[in-house]
Amino acid sequence: MTHDDVLRYGLVVISLLTSFLLTFYGMTMIMSGASTQGPLIFAYVTIAYGLGHLAVLSHAWSSREPWAIKINILFACCFLGVVIIEAVRNGLPEGSNAFSLVVLLVVLGANILAIKKIVERP
C-alpha cells in the first residue's frame, strides 16, 4: 500500500465521518424543536450538504467522473456561504465562533481533497 493509498482512504474515512456528523447535527437541530425559521433552514442546509457530499463521494468512487470535483466544490462553497451568513446574522464571529469557522474550512477542504483523490486514483 502506497502513501497515496493511505492518504486517499484516510480522507474517505474523514469525509464519511463528517458527512454523518453534519447530517446528525442537522437532524438534532430539527428534532430539538427549533421554533424560529433561521435555525430550521440552517438545519435543512446542513443535512443537504452532508447527504449531498455523501452522494457525490459515492458516485466519484464508482465512476471517477471529473465533474464530481466541481460539484463538490459548489456544494462546499454554498454551504460555507450559508454558514457565514448565519454567523454574521447572529453577530460577527469572535473567539470560538471564528475557530469553528476555521475548523469547518479544514473539513470542507478535506472533503474536496477526498473527492479529488478518488477521481484521480490510478
Side-chain angles (χ1 to χ4, degrees), residues 12 18 24-25 40 63 69-70 73 77 80 85 104:
V12 167
T18 57
F24 182 74
Y25 178 66
L40 195 59
S63 71
I69 299 169
K70 293 176 184 167
I73 291 172
C77 289
L80 183 63
I85 289 170
L104 181 64

Side-chain angles (χ1 to χ4, degrees), residues 8-108:
R8 183 181 318 111
Y9 292 130
L11 285 170
V12 167
V13 168
I14 289 170
S15 200
L16 288 171
L17 286 174
T18 57
S19 290
F20 171 74
L21 289 175
L22 286 171
T23 305
F24 182 74
Y25 178 66
M27 288 302 296
T28 303
M29 288 174 62
I30 290 172
M31 296 304 223
S32 70
S35 59
T36 59
Q37 194 68 13
L40 195 59
I41 292 171
F42 181 71
Y44 286 128
V45 170
T46 304
I47 293 169
Y49 175 75
L51 295 177
H53 173 71
L54 191 61
V56 171
L57 184 71
S58 173
H59 186 74
W61 189 270
S62 62
S63 71
R64 297 184 191 182
E65 293 190 29
W67 61 262
I69 299 169
K70 293 176 184 167
I71 291 293
N72 196 33
I73 291 172
L74 177 69
F75 283 175
C77 289
C78 290
F79 181 62
L80 183 63
V82 169
V83 169
I84 289 173
I85 289 170
E86 188 73 19
V88 169
R89 195 178 72 163
N90 293 335
L92 291 175
E94 46 186 64
S96 65
N97 287 339
F99 179 73
S100 63
L101 284 176
V102 170
V103 169
L104 181 64
L105 279 171
V106 170
V107 166
L108 294 177

